[in-house]
Amino acid sequence: MKSLFRLLPYLSKYKTTLLVGLLTVIVTNLFTVASPWIIGDAIDELKRGIETRTLRHEDLMLYAGLIVGFALVAGIMLFLTRQTIIVVSRKIEYDLRNDFLAHIQKLPYSFFQNTPTGDLMALATNDISAVRNVLGPGIMYPADTLMTLSMSLVLMFIKDWQLTLLALIPMPVVSIAVYKLGQLIHEKFNQRQEQYAVLTTKAQENLSGARVVKAYVREEYEIEQFRKVSWEYFKKNLVLAKAQSVMWPLMFVLVGLSLLITIYVGGLKVIDGEMTIGTLTAFFTYLSLLIWPMIAFGWVTNMWQQGAASMTRLAKIFDTVPDIRDTEVTDYSIQNIKGEIEFRNVSFTHKGAQQKTLKNINLRIPNGTILAIVGYTGAGKSTLVNLIPRLYDVTEGQLLIDGVDIKKIPLEVLRCSIGYVPQETFLFSESIAENIRYGDDNANRELIYEAAEISQISKDVADFPQRFDTILGERGITLSGGQKQRTSIARAILRKPNILILDDALSAVDTHTESEILDRLRGVMKGRTSIIISHRISTVQHADMIIVLDKGEIVEQGTHEQLIEFGGIYAGLYEKQQLEKELEEL
Ligand SMILES: Nc1ncnc2c1ncn2[C@@H]1O[C@H](COP(=O)(O)OP(=O)(O)OP(=O)(O)O)[C@@H](O)[C@H]1O
Ligand SMILES: [Mg+2]
């Protein structure tokens, strides 16, 4: 339950509306609990009127009018309760969901690598809904039923305190039963929720991996896998429903006991002339007013428990402090960076990994140079460049930019100065222009066209139905691998970065287009730093400096000519690729 306290700031934002809501609850109940009293009086009046033959038409109308009038006021107030408390809960749900996404956006890249997307989806949907229930019905019903309960009890005591006490005998049993059952439901709910996350992950992977599924004709297999997970979810839901369905009948039986006692004891009292029929009727009506609070109590307990469980899960994410962020060492006087990069004895180990991915990297990349990185797959090339925009932080050693420790540079300044084309390009389901503009919000059309020209995507775009306004991705056309890469490059150069990183970003581009792009890049990147990772020698041979990474270490370093001369891994790759080229040309 502690986790729910975190919602207080959200609630306090709407405290006036909530207070109005609670006020309407009080008024509703004043009018609701007055009704049985009037009914009781009416019956006694009627009886006396019939017995003494003095019953007047006006008296009847008065009582009927009162009952209807009171019900009307109570009804209107109830409507206002919903308009305030339930509406507030919806607003908080909205706030909470936005905060959740905003927080997730701040978390480091490694968080997303270690958290299944399905889990996050389940949190943003199901769990936030469960929390919303606590804030809406979870506040409205307890307030309402507490009022009904206390007001009814007071009036019942005034009418006949002995009978009230007798009628209340089964109530502690009700409370205990509700509590025990509530615990069970809580546990089952948790299990259901966990399964829901598994189901969501499965569905999400299936949809985004549709191409692989089809290519490997694994539809049947996937259907079967999904069916299994889905069946588990169904079973867990059923168990939960079973536990929940015991609740209601149990309530009715226990409350029924109270009614039984009232009829019996009250009936005897009426026969003995100690109580009027009207009072007994009023009593009975009060008891039936109490049925709902009893049931609501159980229901709300469930809701609160489910909400608390969900909030605990959400809190876990909210409490994940982004470990890569601006801290007290951040020097906000740094407003831009030039682009000299230096690795000083840098080592890096992935979270949870056994071995170092990078070992003792010592490297200085002067401002304005082009550095190329080659190396076998898995050598650590991507990991190395990921350290520069701080997608990961170095675990040992120091990374400096312009001679300043990278941790002192405000994160935004750092990242805004870097144009990064990741190995796996990602484009949004928007127009090509919008996808390129992602690099710089303020860029106008001219600049977008210019960037597209440099990355050589323009000529492809000319053939698309709506040119630059052609929608990509799930809602539009699918680009080829090379087109995607070139769009991503346009995005990166649009921001005129002081450091440009191309991680294997030309792998799907033919060698002719590639050299065209590289030529133009050399022009725009004059005086700025570029890092190009590639498996192709043709891409890297004109770089100012080339390093060869092997098993996380720099094993060779120099220009193309020096490395050929050296006769190591680089020279081997070169020879192999020359041979392949010659074979192709044959
Ligand atoms: N999040 C991670 N957790 C643990 N190990 C990782 C993680 N990411 C990468 N690795 C490991 O780190 C090593 C280096 O990976 P990296 O992606 O840097 O290689 P690379 O040189 O870019 O390879 P490629 O040429 O295939 O792109 C690999 O052995 C990889 O399995
Ligand atoms: Mg890589």
Side-chain angles (χ1 to χ4, degrees):
M1 287 287 166
K2 249 197 346 233
S3 60
L4 288 173
F5 281 117
R6 305 177 67 114
L7 294 170
L8 286 179
Y10 288 95
L11 284 167
S12 79
K13 193 170 150 195
Y14 301 102
K15 55 177 178 291
T16 331
T17 322
L18 281 172
L19 276 179
V20 172
L22 291 178
L23 212 69
T24 62
V25 169
I26 296 176
V27 179
T28 311
N29 276 289
L30 281 177
F31 282 86
T32 311
V33 298
S35 292
W37 197 284
I38 301 172
I39 292 173
D41 281 359
I43 287 175
D44 285 345
E45 270 309 303
L46 281 178
K47 193 163 161 265
R48 202 169 42 244
I50 292 168
E51 281 164 5
T52 56
R53 297 192 172 279
T54 53
L55 185 67
R56 286 185 319 168
H57 184 69
E58 294 83 68
D59 291 341
L60 269 181
M61 287 309 286
L62 177 72
Y63 280 117
L66 271 179
I67 292 168
V68 171
F70 273 44
L72 202 66
V73 176
I76 292 171
M77 284 297 149
L78 190 65
F79 172 74
L80 290 179
T81 310
R82 299 194 137 266
Q83 282 300 307
T84 46
I85 299 184
I86 301 291
V87 169
V88 163
S89 78
R90 289 285 177 199
K91 283 186 178 157
I92 295 181
E93 179 187 14
Y94 170 78
D95 293 344
L96 195 63
R97 194 167 278 133
N98 285 342
D99 285 356
F100 183 69
L101 195 82
H103 179 72
I104 287 188
Q105 290 285 12
K106 279 196 237 122
L107 293 177
Y109 178 51
S110 56
F111 170 81
F112 296 94
Q113 289 181 310
N114 299 323
T115 316
T117 312
D119 285 12
L120 294 176
M121 298 278 215
L123 282 166
T125 53
N126 256 12
D127 286 297
I128 288 186
S129 291
V131 172
R132 202 287 304 183
N133 278 343
V134 171
L135 298 171
I139 289 180
M140 187 176 77
Y141 288 122
D144 185 40
T145 53
L146 216 67
M147 284 292 149
T148 315
L149 195 72
S150 52
M151 289 183 187
S152 302
L153 280 180
V154 168
L155 294 179
M156 282 165 79
F157 265 99
I158 295 175
K159 285 255 182 228
D160 189 325
W161 65 272
Q162 287 164 322
L163 187 56
T164 309
L165 285 182
L166 282 173
L168 288 183
I169 288 175
M171 294 306 172
V173 186
V174 174
S175 303
I176 294 169
V178 165
Y179 181 71
K180 286 282 169 207
L181 210 58
Q183 274 182 328
L184 184 77
I185 289 174
H186 177 60
E187 185 193 317
K188 299 297 170 208
F189 174 78
N190 262 345
Q191 290 169 357
R192 202 269 315 253
Q193 218 48 0
E194 275 159 23
Q195 190 60 29
Y196 182 72
V198 176
L199 187 74
T200 320
T201 304
K202 188 84 208 152
Q204 185 257 334
E205 283 185 353
N206 236 302
L207 298 178
S208 38
R211 197 156 49 145
V212 181
V213 175
K214 289 200 184 306
Y216 284 83
V217 204
R218 296 291 269 181
E219 288 95 338
E220 288 301 324
Y221 170 80
E222 287 297 339
I223 291 170
E224 181 56 24
Q225 290 290 311
F226 189 79
R227 203 191 58 78
K228 275 190 199 148
V229 180
S230 202
W231 178 246
E232 275 306 309
Y233 180 62
F234 166 77
K235 280 200 297 197
K236 299 231 151 87
N237 248 326
L238 221 57
V239 172
L240 178 65
K242 253 186 217 154
Q244 277 171 337
S245 59
V246 172
M247 195 73 131
W248 294 71
L250 192 70
M251 289 293 158
F252 276 110
V253 168
L254 292 171
V255 176
L257 280 180
S258 286
L259 292 176
L260 215 67
I261 296 173
T262 312
I263 288 224
Y264 182 70
V265 181
L268 286 181
K269 283 192 173 214
V270 173
I271 292 169
D272 292 345
E274 285 172 33
M275 190 189 247
T276 63
I277 283 273
T279 309
L280 184 62
T281 313
F283 228 90
F284 221 76
T285 322
Y286 278 125
L287 265 185
S288 50
L289 275 187
L290 290 188
I291 296 179
W292 171 235
M294 287 302 140
I295 293 169
F297 176 64
W299 189 50
V300 167
T301 323
N302 281 340
M303 215 170 326
W304 275 70
Q305 281 178 331
Q306 293 176 359
S310 289
M311 195 60 216
T312 309
R313 267 193 295 275
L314 283 167
K316 226 159 98 188
I317 303 285
F318 275 120
D319 288 342
T320 311
V321 184
D323 48 7
I324 297 178
R325 68 194 151 110
D326 289 345
T327 58
E328 51 283 354
V329 302
T330 310
D331 180 357
Y332 289 101
S333 66
I334 302 173
Q335 278 166 10
N336 52 53
I337 59 174
K338 290 197 192 65
E340 184 201 279
I341 306 167
E342 188 182 349
F343 289 81
R344 261 190 215 161
N345 251 328
V346 167
S347 292
F348 178 77
T349 316
H350 276 290
K351 256 188 202 142
Q354 307 286 337
Q355 281 174 338
K356 287 181 183 174
T357 302
L358 295 173
K359 279 169 264 178
N360 303 321
I361 303 287
N362 280 297
L363 176 69
R364 206 177 79 86
I365 313 164
N367 188 19
T369 50
I370 301 178
L371 171 84
I373 309 176
V374 288
Y376 300 124
T377 165
K381 304 181 292 296
S382 297
T383 309
L384 183 81
V385 292
N386 277 338
L387 296 175
I388 302 170
R390 287 185 76 192
L391 291 179
Y392 308 121
D393 263 342
V394 301
T395 42
E396 270 173 61
Q398 212 182 9
L399 178 54
L400 304 108
I401 289 187
D402 301 343
V404 179
D405 189 313
I406 196 167
K407 288 180 184 161
K408 289 196 181 138
I409 303 171
L411 208 53
E412 198 177 328
V413 172
L414 175 74
R415 289 186 178 162
C416 282
S417 317
I418 297 174
Y420 175 42
V421 185
Q423 195 163 15
E424 282 144 27
T425 51
F426 184 85
L427 299 175
F428 296 91
S429 295
E430 292 191 35
S431 68
I432 299 191
E434 280 312 312
N435 265 293
I436 297 176
R437 201 203 301 280
Y438 207 77
D440 179 4
D441 258 351
N442 304 317
N444 58 25
R445 280 271 162 167
E446 287 311 308
L447 291 169
I448 292 176
Y449 295 154
E450 200 182 299
E453 194 61 43
I454 296 166
S455 74
Q456 302 285 307
I457 186 70
S458 302
K459 54 181 195 296
D460 299 61
V461 173
D463 295 335
F464 293 158
Q466 268 100 34
R467 309 282 185 274
F468 275 94
D469 294 320
T470 311
I471 304 286
L472 304 182
E474 284 161 6
R475 290 193 289 122
I477 65 163
T478 310
L479 296 187
S480 75
Q483 286 168 338
K484 276 188 199 156
Q485 287 187 332
R486 281 175 285 149
T487 310
S488 299
I489 294 174
R491 177 192 283 170
I493 47 188
L494 183 71
R495 56 167 41 175
K496 300 209 164 32
N498 288 330
I499 299 172
L500 178 71
I501 301 171
L502 304 184
D503 188 352
D504 221 5
L506 293 161
S507 60
V509 179
D510 62 85
T511 39
H512 172 72
T513 313
E514 175 190 73
S515 66
E516 192 97 342
I517 297 173
L518 286 173
D519 268 351
R520 291 180 183 236
L521 274 183
R522 225 183 304 278
V524 252
M525 289 306 289
K526 218 176 185 74
R528 305 161 199 248
T529 311
S530 309
I531 300 176
I532 301 173
I533 297 178
S534 180
H535 287 275
R536 265 204 314 240
I537 301 295
S538 61
T539 320
V540 303
Q541 61 186 355
H542 300 296
D544 300 316
M545 181 174 31
I546 302 167
I547 59 167
V548 180
L549 268 188
D550 191 31
K551 299 193 184 79
E553 282 178 286
I554 299 179
V555 289
E556 292 168 33
Q557 183 169 353
T559 59
H560 176 73
E561 287 72 27
Q562 286 168 337
L563 292 180
I564 295 288
E565 182 82 10
F566 182 73
I569 295 178
Y570 185 86
L573 279 174
Y574 179 67
E575 244 169 63
K576 200 168 139 246
Q577 289 181 14
Q578 279 301 105
L579 211 66
E580 278 167 5
K581 204 168 129 196
E582 278 164 26
L583 281 174
E584 259 170 42
E585 281 164 5
L586 275 179

